[in-house]
Amino acid sequence: MSPPQPKFYLLPFSPEYKCTDRFSLHPTGDQAQDENGQVPFWPILEAILCRPVNSTTGLVDILDTISVILRATSQPAGDYELLIDAIATSFDTAEVFFAKVWPRIVDIALQMPGLFQNGPIPVLSRENYSLPFSRRQIACLVVHQFLRTLSLPPFGDDDGMHDFGIWYSSQQRHPVAVRGYLRALMLYFGDVLCDEKKMDGWVVEYSLHSLPENYDEISAQDRPLSELKVVVVETYDTLPGSLGVGDGDGQAVVISANRVVGFGQSATQEEVHVGISPEACPIVLFTPPLGDEQVLKVRGAQAMVNVVGKGRDIIVGSMLDPQQGGDAAWKFRTMLFMDALELDLVNDGGLADLDPGNREREIAKAYTAFSSSLDGTISEIKTGPWGCGAFGGDPEVKMLLLWLASSMVGVNLTVVCDYELQTFARKLEDVGQTLKVTMLGTVSMRKLLMELPQALSRGQTLEWLENESN
């Protein structure tokens, strides 16, 4: 039996959030120590943040002090070189950061007790599936991720992936990506955090959705196949239109996620979409590893930079304004975090996508994500080749399963491919048009997909379907 999941995430102003007072900074000294020699951390943080800071040397000293007090080391921040460079290059001068941005960071950080008066944050679960926060609350959490004052989530591994310290060192396996994430963070601080008008009237919501208990009954209901659109772009980007923002209401974008959602130091789709969106970064604090029948939805997180390309070949550029609605259009951005099966780990000689259990699992996962907005706010799902990169899935099988799931929900599906996949894109579009005419609905479509021969190899599924339809 697996251990019970923790129900709350402790915030640093809690009296139970304690540390060793290594530098004798607590205002009451030894009087505050418990039987283990530890003291509440918050008064120490207040003392640290009262120090004047007007240079990167002073900032690094503060970040180092916080880190050493809480975890006895400054790692993985290392030499802080990329952080220092981000400050120097994201503003007209570094002095702008220390005169304008740093005081705002300190202010919003110290507002935490007032912003989170209920104390610990509930961990997402089937029972507590939605966490709506004001933008000011999320800004406060992002600031604390920057300051590295937050503890490891109770369901996390000790890898430092819960705060931004992983981005600060010059020793990075993908420095272009990490520089882009830090630039997004600095722009967020300068453009959002420092603009009081942008703090109000904006909700960022994180919700954990589970497969409905009547899924079998839903699967048996016959619905018409939804529209399948295939779009070929020269290269992937993260401009507003690609993220389902500003092209009209009702779009959601699939994020090819890991079971443990969050940001990182490379340029997977998930790492890019979260890393350029500081307001999405707090998901690591209260989202447990996704189960096979769970997905995470994030609504209202603004992206700050445009990442063009994929993998090792990305370029980080400026974000453009949404075509409609201005910055307020970002309030409706919807991110669907779906973890695909890690088929790259399967080595049994066959096409693992065609295992019946695997097919059913992916359909159920996609249905859970696509049905997370049955209130009518979502009418179109945008996806790239979900689960077909590092996880080794076959795009021909995966996209057909997603199309079935979108049809079961009654939303349209748009598959976005770059030029490397244009041959696949053309085949998918042709087969989709054929099946739209020949298939009566989702029941017959499911039957056809479940009858796909397991002897098929990668890249043969669409051809087989084409032959079957003729």
Side-chain angles (χ1 to χ4, degrees), residues 25 44 101 198 202 258 263 286 309 335 337 346 372 379 403:
L25 296 174
I44 293 179
V101 178
K198 294 182 178 179
W202 192 306
N258 287 281
F263 48 87
F286 38 73
M335 309 164 73
F337 290 81
V346 179
S372 63
S379 59
W403 184 25

Side-chain angles (χ1 to χ4, degrees), residues 166-442:
I166 59 170
W167 294 339
Y168 296 167
S169 168
S170 60
Q171 302 301 309
Q172 301 288 339
R173 55 179 176 266
H174 198 327
V176 174
V178 172
R179 287 179 187 275
Y181 306 149
L182 284 171
R183 178 163 180 79
L185 181 64
M186 293 301 117
L187 292 176
Y188 173 76
F189 286 159
D191 296 345
V192 177
L193 189 70
C194 291
D195 189 341
E196 188 66 29
K197 293 181 294 185
K198 294 182 178 179
M199 286 286 100
D200 298 319
W202 192 306
V203 173
V204 182
E205 182 181 14
Y206 313 84
S207 52
L208 185 69
H209 296 265
S210 302
L211 190 70
E213 295 181 355
N214 64 336
Y215 173 71
D216 289 341
E217 178 184 331
I218 293 171
S219 298
Q221 297 173 359
D222 200 20
R223 302 198 59 165
L225 296 182
S226 62
E227 292 298 321
L228 171 64
K229 183 165 65 173
V230 185
V231 177
V232 177
V233 296
E234 183 175 351
T235 186
Y236 298 115
D237 63 50
T238 60
L239 291 173
S242 301
L243 303 182
V245 175
D247 284 345
D249 296 335
Q251 296 183 354
V253 173
V254 170
I255 309 296
S256 294
N258 287 281
R259 287 185 64 248
V260 180
V261 298
F263 48 87
Q265 296 168 286
S266 296
T268 66
Q269 190 213 16
E270 179 183 20
E271 288 173 320
V272 168
H273 282 241
V274 177
I276 67 171
S277 312
E279 291 165 323
C281 291
I283 58 176
V284 300
L285 305 177
F286 38 73
T287 308
L290 298 176
D292 279 342
E293 299 179 346
Q294 292 179 320
V295 298
L296 175 72
K297 182 173 76 172
V298 176
R299 188 168 170 86
Q302 182 173 350
M304 304 305 300
V305 297
N306 176 32
V307 175
V308 180
K310 62 185 179 183
R312 305 298 304 181
D313 300 321
I314 63 169
I315 298 172
V316 180
S318 299
M319 178 59 72
L320 302 181
D321 293 332
Q323 290 187 5
Q324 303 175 30
D327 279 354
W330 290 105
K331 294 180 182 180
F332 308 103
R333 178 191 180 192
T334 303
M335 309 164 73
L336 301 176
F337 290 81
M338 298 163 43
D339 60 306
L341 289 168
E342 297 184 37
L343 302 181
D344 58 310
L345 303 177
V346 179
N347 187 23
D348 58 6
L351 185 59
D353 296 86
L354 294 178
D355 176 88
N358 291 346
R359 277 177 273 185
E360 287 288 5
R361 188 269 190 190
E362 303 297 62
I363 295 169
K365 174 71 68 167
Y367 177 85
T368 304
F370 301 165
S371 63
S372 63
S373 297
L374 286 177
D375 56 1
T377 57
I378 298 299
S379 59
E380 179 186 355
I381 304 295
K382 283 188 172 182
T383 184
W386 173 72
C388 301
F391 285 2
D394 180 357
E396 297 194 4
V397 178
K398 281 287 197 289
M399 295 306 102
L400 291 169
L401 299 179
L402 294 195
W403 184 25
L404 172 60
S406 68
S407 299
M408 292 166 61
V409 176
V411 297
N412 297 327
L413 181 68
T414 297
V415 178
V416 182
C417 304
D418 65 4
Y419 273 173
E420 292 180 9
L421 290 173
Q422 59 182 320
T423 300
F424 155 73
R426 185 171 59 251
K427 290 166 58 179
L428 178 63
E429 188 170 36
D430 290 344
V431 171
Q433 290 174 353
T434 300
L435 293 178
K436 194 86 162 66
V437 174
T438 58
M439 289 290 103
L440 296 177
T442 54

